[in-house]
Each structure stands twice: as structure tokens, then as C-alpha cells.
Amino acid sequence: MHPMLNIAIRAARKAGNHIAKSYETPNAIEASQKGSNDFVTNVDHEAEALIIDIIRKSYPKHTIITEESGEHLGEDNDVQWVIDPLDGTTNFIKRLPHFSVSIAVRMKGRTEVAVVYDPMRNELFTATRGQGAQLNGYRLRGSNARDLDGTVLATGFPFKAKQHSVPYINVLGKLFERCADFRRTGSAALDLAYVAAGRVDGFFEIGLKPWDFLGGELLVRESGCIVTDFVGGHNYITSGNIVAGSPRVVKDILSEMREELTEALKR
């Protein structure tokens, strides 16, 4: 096993166990709003601190980029740990048991190791670049759907960027006419893990942050699927506009999107 994967798993499990324990004591959860429709809890911060502590003990010089406390620069900026300690905070606050811990390790701009952990189901999704993706140690293969007919797609509403709601709803409508159904679960990291596991056939979302998708992106790629932006390129790292699935499903999603995209969504 990749030594950094070992540490990422240890960190994700420790944070996940703390999140699951906190879920059982809702009176101790303190939630606050950090932006428009964007929430954070004391548990997000506590889980993040646990992850940083484990990484720092093994790799004190690495840079750590986190959702809640930003960038912790290390002497070695070639290695970056990108962390979302609790992806699906709104679900957690509402006591909807679907959320995850996401950790990605990037070396010189390439993701090498990924962990997405669902503490409520004890499902550990892992990937190392070039070595495939796994769920609890079993190899994952993404969907082999040949087109949108009969597919189940996942998505997330652009609740932080409602200026895109009209093109988003138009794209949703066009895709709904062709696919079987949609799922909207509230954790992009798990949505991408589910693409890797073949539980959903494809996924798209507007304006994700790197910590939301970098772990899941490697899972998707290592399961034999692909990830692009809304015009089939690789600018999603900057824009956060993501499409994932088997090559043929992604091609069909992009073709349905094409006429509905505003200039802002083509970037």
C-alpha cells in the first residue's frame, strides 16, 4: 500500500469515527452560517483538526489545504493534502445520515492518492494513481452504460450560485427526458465515489471546490470512467464545473448540455 494512502485512511477513519459519534449527540452540535446557504459546525472543525494532526505527525513538511481553515503551508509545497473533513454538512445538521470525509494527496499538481470515507455505512473508498479504485478492499469498476437510456444520474443543485439556476434546470430537464432517473444526495464526494462503484451512471455539478471533488475524481478515473468540464476539457480544477461517468455517458451529457450553457459555464 502507498505509505500516504495508509496515513490518509487512518486520518479519514479517525475523523469519520468522531463525526459518527457526534451524530449520536445532536445537542452538542453547534452550527453557524459561513456564507449564503453554506453552513459549518464545530464537528467540521474538530474532524479537520484530527486529520491535520495525523498528517503532521507523519509528514510535517507537507502543505495541507482544507475547506474550513484554508492553506497550511509546509516547507514542501510539491505535496499537498486537500481535505474536506465533512462533505455534506447540511445533511449532518439535518440528521440525514449521508456525508463523508474526503482526502486527496497531490504531488506536483497530480492526484496520487484518494480516500472518501462514509462513516455511517463504514464504506471506505480508496484509490492510488495507476492501481485502481477499491471499496473496503474490493476492486471497483464504473458503469459500462453505452448511452443515457436507462441510466441513473447524480447531481447537486447550485445552491451557492443561484445565478446559474435557469441553465441548470434546463440541462436537468433535457437529461431527464433521456435518462431513467436522478439522485440528489448532498455529498459530491460520495456522488463521485458512487460513479466509481457503478451505483450511479454519471454525475454533473456546477461550481464545486477542489476539496469537494479531488478525492472522488481519482476514484472515478481509477474505476475506468472519465471526468471533464462542461465543454469536454480539463478546466474543472479551476471552474469546479464537473461531469463524470463512462466515456459514452459523459459524451451524451455534454451533447445535451451544449445548447443550454451560458458563457460563464463554458469556462
Side-chain angles (χ1 to χ4, degrees):
M1 185 187 284
H2 195 297
M4 287 187 211
L5 179 59
N6 205 10
I7 299 303
I9 289 171
R10 191 185 306 168
R13 282 199 183 279
K14 186 153 191 183
N17 292 343
H18 178 68
I19 291 164
K21 203 176 285 182
S22 304
Y23 183 84
E24 302 304 328
T25 53
N27 292 341
I29 297 168
E30 300 157 18
S32 59
Q33 195 160 339
K34 60 180 179 176
S36 175
N37 306 314
D38 197 6
F39 299 91
V40 66
T41 72
N42 55 317
V43 179
D44 294 67
H45 291 295
E46 290 156 10
E48 185 171 284
L50 289 170
I51 294 168
I52 291 170
D53 184 56
I54 287 174
I55 296 167
R56 280 276 177 259
K57 278 179 180 160
S58 295
Y59 299 106
K61 295 182 177 178
H62 290 179
T63 290
I64 302 173
I65 298 166
T66 71
E67 175 173 13
E68 304 310 340
S69 58
E71 194 169 11
H72 303 250
L73 278 173
E75 288 174 40
D76 185 356
N77 201 33
D78 280 348
V79 185
Q80 298 180 331
W81 295 68
V82 185
I83 296 159
D84 192 337
L86 177 45
D87 185 53
T89 300
T90 300
N91 283 350
F92 180 75
I93 292 168
K94 292 288 186 185
R95 302 195 47 71
L96 201 164
H98 186 85
F99 35 79
S100 60
V101 180
S102 176
I103 301 174
V105 185
R106 285 168 71 74
M107 300 177 75
K108 295 185 175 175
R110 266 206 317 210
T111 307
E112 295 287 334
V113 162
V115 173
V116 174
Y117 180 51
D118 176 347
M120 303 307 283
R121 296 180 187 83
N122 193 26
E123 290 193 331
L124 182 75
F125 298 87
T126 59
T128 304
R129 194 172 65 83
Q131 293 179 33
Q134 298 186 327
L135 165 55
N136 291 346
Y138 291 93
R139 183 70 186 262
L140 292 178
R141 295 301 300 169
S143 161
N144 57 4
R146 296 183 168 276
D147 54 41
L148 286 175
D149 187 39
T151 55
V152 174
L153 303 179
T155 188
F157 297 129
F159 62 93
K160 294 181 198 172
K162 292 194 176 178
Q163 71 272 22
H164 299 306
S165 59
V166 171
Y168 174 80
I169 294 295
N170 290 347
V171 167
L172 203 65
K174 288 184 82 169
L175 290 171
F176 186 56
E177 285 178 14
R178 292 198 51 200
C179 71
D181 205 352
F182 268 96
R183 297 289 179 266
R184 191 272 186 260
T185 66
S187 168
L190 281 177
D191 285 338
L192 288 163
Y194 282 16
V195 171
R199 293 176 177 177
V200 293
D201 299 291
F203 166 76
F204 80 99
E205 189 160 347
I206 291 171
L208 290 172
K209 298 295 186 190
W211 46 78
D212 295 319
F213 66 78
L214 281 174
E217 178 214 11
L218 187 64
L219 291 169
V220 169
R221 291 188 183 285
E222 290 296 324
S223 74
C225 292
I226 63 169
V227 181
T228 76
D229 60 21
F230 289 174
V231 293
H234 299 287
N235 197 44
Y236 57 85
I237 297 284
T238 309
S239 70
N241 300 332
I242 270 194
V243 181
S246 71
R248 291 186 180 188
V249 165
V250 168
K251 186 180 171 205
D252 274 8
I253 292 173
L254 294 177
S255 115
E256 293 297 334
M257 280 184 159
R258 194 166 295 125
E259 289 177 17
E260 305 301 332
L261 295 178
T262 58
E263 286 307 311
L265 291 176
K266 289 177 185 175
R267 291 177 199 143

